[in-house]
Amino acid sequence: MDGGQTTKRKLKVATASLAGCFGCHMSLLDIDERLVDLLELVELDRSPLTDLKQIGECDLGLVEGGIGNVENLEVLREFRRHCKLLVAVGACAVNGGIPAMRNNFALRDCLEEAFIDGVGVHNPGVPNDRELPLLLNQVHPIHEIVKVDYFLPGCPPSADAIWTFLTELLEGKPISLPYTQLHYD
């Protein structure tokens, strides 16, 4: 206590990028100087922004990207175990996004097109290395694998949409994103 005031505990937030393009994390960074304000309210745990590899117990997990391989699956399940609230951020996490376009084709056909028959392939052959995560037959949105508490759509969601979502959530307000932050017309 200092002068009768209590210090409010910062919420612990973790972020992950799975099968996607990292665009949602770029939008998070696009909140610019508001990042300083956000860091007054939260402490970042595991995140590409902190480079922490292990996740601790967190209040909030922000996950972008779909589930395209077994590593994505493991990371998502770990986030669900350690995060009180889990948010699907962006089209890939919400509905599979661009990576899910491969769901219309057999996995073998996709691999052959990319590594054998594709334009500019110089050393044809599908990689077969134990270090590479095993691909799933389809890309899944994260709600098909674990319970998701909130969905933040967009490809990617705008910095303003992320800011509005986070500040309203942190303030305990009902989340209400205006049309101007969600439309893509």
Side-chain angles (χ1 to χ4, degrees):
M1 300 265 182
D2 101 269
Q5 295 180 351
T6 59
T7 305
K8 187 175 180 182
R9 180 182 78 85
K10 288 185 174 187
L11 295 179
K12 286 188 83 170
V13 177
T15 70
S17 183
L18 305 176
C21 69
F22 209 77
C24 298
H25 273 86
M26 296 308 294
S27 277
L28 176 62
L29 292 175
D30 282 345
I31 67 175
D32 299 327
E33 67 276 354
R34 295 175 289 186
L35 275 172
V36 175
D37 297 331
L38 182 63
L39 291 174
E40 292 294 322
L41 303 171
V42 304
E43 174 187 343
L44 289 177
D45 193 78
R46 179 187 173 185
S47 172
L49 306 175
T50 62
D51 202 29
L52 295 174
K53 304 300 184 212
Q54 301 298 317
I55 185 172
E57 295 305 312
C58 292
D59 299 296
L60 181 62
L62 304 172
V63 177
E64 75 165 296
I67 306 304
N69 63 46
V70 293
E71 182 180 300
N72 298 155
L73 195 60
E74 292 166 7
V75 169
L76 179 62
R77 287 181 174 153
E78 182 180 35
F79 263 65
R80 182 67 273 182
R81 280 193 305 276
H82 292 281
C83 297
K84 292 177 187 170
L85 295 174
L86 194 67
V87 182
V89 180
C92 296
V94 171
N95 62 26
I98 298 294
M101 289 176 70
R102 78 168 165 94
N103 292 353
N104 295 312
F105 305 95
L107 180 57
R108 164 86 30 225
D109 293 342
C110 292
L111 292 171
E112 288 176 0
E113 178 63 28
F115 296 105
I116 297 172
D117 302 326
V119 174
V121 173
H122 295 288
N123 296 311
V126 176
N128 185 14
D129 188 321
R130 292 187 323 218
E131 294 290 320
L132 296 174
L134 181 65
L135 291 175
L136 301 177
N137 285 330
Q138 290 199 318
V139 175
H140 299 273
I142 70 172
H143 74 273
E144 289 183 1
I145 308 298
V146 300
K147 177 185 178 284
V148 172
D149 300 294
Y150 292 96
F151 295 85
L152 182 56
C155 185
S158 69
D160 288 336
I162 292 172
W163 176 253
T164 299
F165 177 86
L166 289 175
T167 55
E168 289 184 354
L169 183 67
L170 294 171
E171 292 171 4
K173 294 179 180 177
I175 297 166
S176 177
L177 294 166
Y179 175 77
T180 56
Q181 291 181 358
L182 290 179
H183 78 97
Y184 292 91
D185 49 27

